[in-house]
Amino acid sequence: MKKLLISALFLAAASMSVNALETDVKPTVTDIKNHNPKTGLIVGNSYSFYNCGVHGYLRGLTREDKRDWKARIITISSGRLSYHDVPQYMGPHEMDPYAKFDDKKELINPMFDVVVLQGMSSEPIAAKSIPTFKKYLKEHVETIKAKGAEPIVVVTWARQDKPEDTKRLADSIISEANANGAIALPVGLAFAESLKRRPDLLMHQKDKSHPTAAGSYLYGAMLYGLLFKKSPVGMKYSGECEKPLKPEDAKHLQQVAWDVLTEFYGWKK
């Protein structure tokens, strides 16, 4: 009886903790327009490329779901948003398989339905970097919209040894996404939520910054949930890059991803 009571209390605490996401800023954009995207571009740095890339985790989930989806990832080591030439990335380029042309050699559709922007971990909160972060986020969002794609701004996670930065990062990034009419993807809030529920499941590498396979899986599950507005809970896919997770860990991360997405955006489960 005592063990059952403890288990019940633990589950109750876990289900309630998502109601206290670590941010004071609510998103003004709470959904994307197209929940059947076919192509995506992920722009970022090593946070998105670790463990063979978040696009691999997203691909694994979409393949299990039998979705017609492909994504390109362009990352720069320690890259800030200012390092990326987004207009050039949006193409078209010679012999580019993402570009489809009509008889007049004009693009039939945007090369990418969605473009994910992931900035350097410190630039949204470091005093010297904030103006540049704001400048280039605005420029990139405008470029993406002008090309007919939907921008998604990643809320990055705090370092393992600076958990107090979770709220600072979220407040800053969500505020700028709101100011530019773009949707924010609260990956950092999901990292914090996972650690509340399962502090034993490490989300950071030994450098206390980059994601473990669990962190990359959670990032991919968040993208999957937003892009298709569908819960990843119950999917069998367990990971990428020769780093499959234990089934119970994948299940936990799937649940965290969907709980945070629905709470953050105000979606019905």
Side-chain angles (χ1 to χ4, degrees):
M1 177 64 84
K2 187 175 181 180
K3 288 183 178 180
L4 289 174
L5 179 59
I6 292 173
S7 298
L9 290 172
F10 175 81
L11 290 172
S15 65
M16 291 174 63
S17 63
V18 76
N19 294 318
L21 296 179
E22 295 182 36
T23 181
D24 291 331
V25 183
K26 293 183 178 181
T28 57
V29 181
T30 58
D31 211 345
I32 58 175
K33 297 175 183 178
N34 176 15
H35 281 296
N36 191 32
K38 306 293 185 184
T39 56
L41 171 65
I42 300 170
V43 176
N45 55 37
S46 52
Y47 271 26
S48 291
F49 191 72
Y50 248 60
N51 306 306
C52 295
V54 69
H55 64 305
Y57 290 84
L58 179 56
R59 179 179 60 233
L61 293 167
T62 56
R63 282 181 176 174
E64 181 176 332
D65 203 22
K66 295 181 172 58
R67 289 189 176 273
D68 180 11
W69 164 263
K70 63 179 180 179
R72 172 175 292 162
I73 184 169
I74 301 177
T75 59
I76 299 174
S77 178
S78 300
R80 300 172 182 269
L81 291 182
S82 60
Y83 296 4
H84 290 283
D85 188 350
V86 173
Q88 195 274 338
Y89 296 168
M90 300 293 288
H93 310 106
E94 190 172 351
M95 297 185 69
D96 194 327
Y98 283 79
K100 295 182 180 180
F101 301 93
D102 60 19
D103 294 337
K104 297 179 181 179
K105 295 186 178 181
E106 295 181 354
L107 278 172
I108 297 173
N109 295 304
M111 281 183 57
F112 305 102
D113 295 321
V114 295
V115 178
V116 178
L117 296 172
Q118 179 259 307
M120 186 179 179
S121 56
S122 62
E123 62 177 324
I125 57 174
K128 291 183 178 179
S129 302
I130 290 173
T132 305
F133 169 73
K134 291 182 177 181
K135 174 184 176 181
Y136 283 93
L137 182 64
K138 183 176 188 297
E139 286 189 11
H140 293 340
V141 167
E142 289 176 349
T143 296
I144 293 163
K145 289 182 177 181
K147 293 290 187 178
E150 289 193 74
I152 298 171
V153 181
V154 176
V155 177
T156 49
W157 51 91
R159 288 178 55 89
Q160 185 179 21
D161 55 353
K162 292 186 178 180
E164 66 275 10
D165 282 349
T166 295
K167 183 178 183 302
R168 295 179 65 210
L169 285 162
D171 288 356
S172 177
I173 298 170
I174 298 165
S175 294
E176 289 310 304
N178 288 348
N180 290 285
I183 195 164
L185 181 68
V187 180
L189 298 181
F191 265 55
E193 182 64 24
S194 178
L195 288 167
K196 288 179 187 175
R197 301 184 189 187
R198 286 278 310 276
D200 63 299
L201 183 59
L202 296 179
M203 304 300 289
H204 301 80
Q205 297 280 353
K206 290 182 180 179
D207 65 3
K208 302 182 188 296
S209 178
H210 291 90
T212 58
S216 293
Y217 188 100
L218 180 56
Y219 187 176
M222 295 286 287
L223 279 169
Y224 174 87
L226 171 60
L227 291 176
F228 307 107
K229 204 170 187 178
K230 183 176 180 181
S231 172
V233 176
M235 299 188 80
K236 295 180 181 179
Y237 173 73
S238 60
E240 201 72 20
C241 197
E242 300 181 356
K243 297 178 181 179
L245 300 174
K246 295 178 181 178
E248 61 268 28
D249 293 343
K251 181 179 179 180
H252 158 77
L253 295 167
Q254 292 167 2
Q255 189 66 61
V256 169
W258 191 238
D259 286 348
V260 172
L261 287 169
T262 52
E263 176 67 19
F264 184 71
Y265 297 128
W267 293 350
K268 292 182 179 180
K269 289 189 178 181

